[in-house]
Amino acid sequence: MQNYLPDYKDASFQIQISALHANTKVKVSVPQMGFVQERTLGAGEGTTIQMPSDVEIYGSQKSSKTVLIEATQEVMVLSLNSKLYTADTSLVYPVTKWGTEYYVFTPSTSPLGTFEEFSVTNHKQRNTVQIFPRVPVRFQGETFIPGSTINVELEPFESLQIQSYNDLTGTRVLSTLPVAVSSGHTCTWRFSKCNHVYEQLLPVQNWGKNFLLAPMRFQTRYDSVYVQASQTTQVVIKSGGQDKVMLLNKGQIEEFRIEMNNGALITANQGIQVLYLFNGVRVSGLLMYDPFLMTVLSTDYFCSSYTLNGQAGFDNKALFLIRNSDLPGLRFDNAPLPSNVQFTPIGGSEFSWAEVPFKAGFGQHSASQPTASFGVYSIGVSQMNGYGAPALCGQSGGGPSPPSCSSITCSTDQECQMKDGYPTCVKKRPSGTCWAMGDPHYRTFDGRYFNFMGTCTYIIAKNCQANDGLPPFEVETHNENRGNIRVSYVGLVTVKVYGVTINVARSENGLVRIDYSLYRLPVVLKQDKLKLFQRGQSVVIETEFGLTVQYDWESYIVVTLSGAFAGKVCGMCGNFNGNPNDDFATPSGSQAPNAVDFGRSWKVFAFSYL
């Protein structure tokens, strides 16, 4: 996003990457600019990619100069946006952590000629974004007032930026497909000179309920903590021996002032967004440190190991938040903490906090506690400057992760397939749709229609070549009579995927059973790879690899499958090979003479109705 003024002095836009595993190949590119940089990193090794200055967006507009970061194995990524005396950092989250709903936060203090701003970045498919502004904004030559909607179509790898002289806080962003949203200010101030601040936000689905905060020891006045809700939410803040209880409405945000030596514990009965704004400080005479913005992560995001990037020209500090009982096992740069590091308890919790200085360098500093999770923030200050962000959370040991399709990005007309154990982009084949409805009528992936009245459990679709690199899955239906023994209807849908079993029963609207435990929708599992939610009158079970199952809790089931599975599936939906004439294949591979024999061949004999 825009940092202070266009073409200001000493611009430096960096992508800082740390590898978790050996022989990790990394590619950073801006396709629209023809910019490409590639590196091969060892386990624990870091690198910095200096980006061309033209990637910066000025004003409220779209941009096709989106930076694409690809790696063959998991990496940790930090961005630095720096100009003379104005800089900040942010974690860069992988696309698997993106979402479809966000609430914007922008600092409200704006020196003359500076802007509050946020950006939206799209992935590899055309996407529709809706923005609900809280103040008047201009975008693409049109003025939008509060209560209006900005509808934007984003092409693959396209971004947009919106700026305003007014506070954009509370602006809601919705999208059809997941996007990334970053938020900040071109140059904000309170107790010092102004500084560019920004942070990539977490989507509403990834907000948390429990947070720990620590003040900056070099702040002599106060910093600001902002708590934001997406629905009616009760929030309790414990700090300095006092409890503050707030009831927030949808989109409402409240400021809490955190002072020297007083940490804070924040709890909520619904997910909330928490952001920390260091307000800057005049230390003495002409020495001052400028503001920075950080996302405060919930305790659910705490890790057992971290990598820290120290920025050149800053006094870099690691801010630790850890349970008192776990302090003896805490190590920094593979050694116990220095004896002069003093931890301060956070009232009302089992945690304490401390600041530990460290030198500049990327991927060279680590923090770990082998038996416990804890929190770390990486911050830095210098004359008229400052930066801050959560530290890079990683895995310690464990060896390289196997290559997968999540490690590469294909063009819009391609899809990823595993070839000889490696992800490869191939020309995309159209997806297939199969359904069963009524009493019941069937349509296979290849378009063959037939009727089958069985009243048992049947395999609708499954991956019959699970050893080819595509994930195994199985979809089953249990058919039942409803007052007429001559017809049957779908009464239960079972989906087996990612090692879990999901049951959706006709009588349990709004609910699903996952491994025999009852859950209310929505549910997200397996690191966002498996999503269960309600759309209209139907439950939707959606996987990362292209399987979608919809069931209306009555008699209608729809199975949609990525073209990558063409010719590799079996069941009552057929083999998805483009030929409807051979869709009556039985488990043995032979063709059944009629629909009755075909359906009976896919009967599941071991079944227990829940």
Side-chain angles (χ1 to χ4, degrees):
M1 294 191 296
Q2 181 176 331
N3 181 346
Y4 192 41
L5 301 175
D7 302 318
Y8 193 61
K9 301 176 183 178
D10 301 339
S12 178
F13 308 128
Q14 296 180 3
I15 300 297
Q16 301 170 5
I17 303 171
S18 298
L20 296 172
H21 310 291
N23 195 32
T24 298
K25 293 178 174 58
V26 178
K27 178 182 177 182
V28 178
S29 61
V30 185
Q32 197 268 351
M33 300 176 64
F35 175 87
V36 179
Q37 292 283 313
E38 296 181 317
R39 302 281 193 277
T40 299
L41 303 177
E45 187 179 356
T47 189
T48 298
I49 307 295
Q50 187 71 45
M51 305 304 301
S53 60
D54 289 348
V55 297
E56 186 178 13
I57 312 177
Y58 299 140
S60 296
Q61 63 171 310
K62 289 184 180 182
S63 173
S64 57
K65 299 175 182 178
T66 298
V67 180
L68 177 60
I69 305 163
E70 301 168 282
T72 56
Q73 301 183 89
E74 278 191 311
V75 293
M76 301 170 289
V77 183
L78 189 79
S79 64
L80 170 70
N81 187 332
S82 175
K83 295 181 179 179
L84 181 64
Y85 297 130
T86 173
D88 202 1
T89 59
S90 173
L91 285 181
V92 179
Y93 296 106
V95 294
T96 55
K97 299 297 183 184
W98 293 7
T100 57
E101 182 182 16
Y102 293 85
Y103 281 89
V104 168
F105 164 77
T106 56
S108 59
T109 50
S110 296
L112 186 65
T114 65
F115 300 95
E116 279 126 295
E117 61 186 357
F118 68 91
S119 67
V120 181
T121 298
N122 189 31
H123 194 211
K124 60 183 179 181
Q125 293 178 284
R126 200 166 193 267
N127 200 357
T128 300
V129 177
Q130 292 182 301
I131 299 170
F132 303 89
R134 294 292 295 271
V135 295
V137 298
R138 282 190 62 80
F139 183 70
Q140 295 184 321
E142 185 176 351
T143 298
F144 297 87
I145 63 173
S148 63
T149 303
I150 306 173
N151 293 294
V152 185
E153 295 293 325
L154 287 181
E155 297 300 326
F157 306 113
E158 189 174 36
S159 299
L160 67 83
Q161 177 175 266
I162 289 181
Q163 294 181 333
S164 176
Y165 289 121
N166 301 309
D167 188 0
L168 292 165
T169 296
T171 297
R172 188 177 180 220
V173 178
L174 294 179
S175 60
T176 303
L177 300 173
V179 293
V181 175
S182 294
S183 193
H185 201 297
T186 59
C187 207
T188 188
W189 62 5
R190 181 163 281 177
F191 302 138
S192 61
K193 296 292 185 180
C194 79
N195 207 40
H196 174 53
V197 302
Y198 75 103
E199 196 80 340
Q200 184 175 342
L201 303 178
L202 291 172
V204 169
Q205 68 190 43
N206 292 340
W207 290 3
K209 299 180 181 180
N210 299 283
F211 301 82
L212 293 163
L213 298 171
M216 306 299 160
R217 289 199 185 275
F218 42 83
Q219 175 59 269
T220 59
R221 302 180 72 174
Y222 67 84
D223 293 324
S224 297
V225 177
Y226 296 89
V227 179
Q228 192 169 29
S230 67
Q231 57 187 305
T232 302
T233 305
Q234 179 176 288
V235 180
V236 179
I237 302 176
K238 298 179 180 288
S239 181
Q242 298 181 340
D243 291 2
K244 181 178 181 179
V245 181
M246 300 182 292
L247 186 65
L248 303 183
N249 297 318
K250 180 178 180 179
Q252 184 178 349
I253 192 165
E254 290 291 332
E255 178 186 2
F256 164 72
R257 294 180 175 181
I258 188 167
E259 300 176 349
M260 183 185 294
N261 296 325
N262 287 330
L265 171 67
I266 300 179
T267 57
N269 64 346
Q270 305 287 347
I272 55 175
Q273 176 167 255
V274 182
L275 294 128
Y276 191 117
L277 180 63
F278 172 66
N279 286 321
V281 61
R282 290 182 179 267
V283 180
S284 62
L286 297 177
L287 178 61
M288 65 186 72
Y289 302 146
D290 285 349
F292 56 80
L293 180 65
M294 298 194 305
T295 296
V296 180
L297 298 179
S298 74
T299 54
D300 295 333
Y301 283 85
F302 282 6
C303 298
S304 61
S305 65
Y306 293 86
T307 295
L308 293 99
N309 287 5
Q311 304 302 325
F314 288 82
D315 293 331
N316 301 287
K317 303 175 187 296
L319 181 63
F320 287 90
L321 297 147
I322 187 169
R323 282 186 178 84
N324 301 319
S325 58
D326 298 328
L327 276 170
L330 181 61
R331 299 179 70 82
F332 189 58
D333 287 344
N334 299 314
L337 292 181
S339 58
N340 62 347
V341 174
Q342 299 296 316
F343 278 82
T344 303
I346 298 176
S349 77
E350 304 173 304
F351 285 76
S352 293
W353 63 276
E355 289 177 8
V356 178
F358 64 98
K359 295 181 180 180
F362 308 126
Q364 299 176 8
H365 301 282
S366 64
S368 64
Q369 214 294 4
T371 61
S373 60
F374 60 104
V376 184
Y377 294 85
S378 180
I379 60 179
V381 290
S382 65
Q383 169 65 346
M384 292 193 296
N385 221 337
Y387 79 86
L392 299 164
C393 174
Q395 301 287 336
S396 57
S401 57
S404 68
C405 277
S406 63
S407 65
I408 67 171
T409 302
C410 299
S411 63
T412 54
D413 62 344
Q414 294 180 319
E415 63 187 2
C416 178
Q417 290 186 20
M418 297 300 293
K419 300 272 189 184
D420 300 322
Y422 290 92
T424 304
C425 292
V426 299
K427 188 172 179 59
K428 185 181 292 184
R429 288 171 289 186
S431 60
T433 300
C434 166
W435 50 254
M437 64 180 298
D439 50 357
H441 311 291
Y442 290 84
R443 179 196 183 276
T444 68
F445 289 124
D446 293 331
R448 183 167 182 173
Y449 295 85
F450 65 95
N451 299 325
F452 176 71
M453 306 302 174
T455 56
C456 296
T457 300
Y458 304 92
I459 295 174
I460 293 296
K462 67 180 291 186
N463 182 357
C464 295
Q465 298 181 24
N467 61 349
D468 64 357
L470 293 171
F473 74 87
E474 186 169 311
V475 181
E476 302 172 359
T477 60
H478 179 77
N479 298 349
E480 60 185 17
N481 294 132
R482 300 182 196 170
N484 185 343
I485 61 173
R486 301 180 63 181
V487 296
S488 61
Y489 300 83
V490 176
L492 178 75
V493 172
T494 300
V495 179
K496 300 176 182 178
V497 67
Y498 294 127
V500 300
T501 299
I502 303 163
N503 288 289
V504 186
R506 183 174 69 91
S507 59
E508 296 179 339
N509 282 66
L511 305 172
V512 296
R513 293 183 183 269
I514 303 173
D515 289 339
Y516 311 110
S517 295
L518 193 62
Y519 292 82
R520 183 170 297 279
L521 297 173
V523 180
V524 178
L525 300 170
K526 301 298 180 180
Q527 293 79 48
D528 294 339
K529 293 181 180 179
L530 178 58
K531 298 179 181 180
L532 297 83
F533 54 92
Q534 187 167 347
R535 179 186 293 153
Q537 300 301 311
S538 298
V539 58
V540 180
I541 302 169
E542 186 176 85
T543 72
E544 180 191 48
F545 60 79
L547 168 68
T548 301
V549 179
Q550 300 181 64
Y551 176 53
D552 66 353
W553 282 291
E554 182 61 32
S555 64
Y556 183 38
I557 177 177
V558 181
V559 180
T560 304
L561 197 56
S562 162
F565 287 86
K568 300 176 181 179
V569 293
C570 57
M572 295 186 69
C573 283
N575 56 20
F576 190 18
N577 68 349
N579 179 13
N581 295 322
D582 63 0
D583 275 353
F584 277 6
T586 67
S588 66
S590 62
Q591 289 290 314
N594 53 58
V596 173
D597 289 346
F598 172 59
R600 287 174 177 171
S601 75
W602 289 107
K603 177 180 176 181
V604 178
F605 291 94
F607 180 76
S608 175
Y609 192 91
L610 297 177

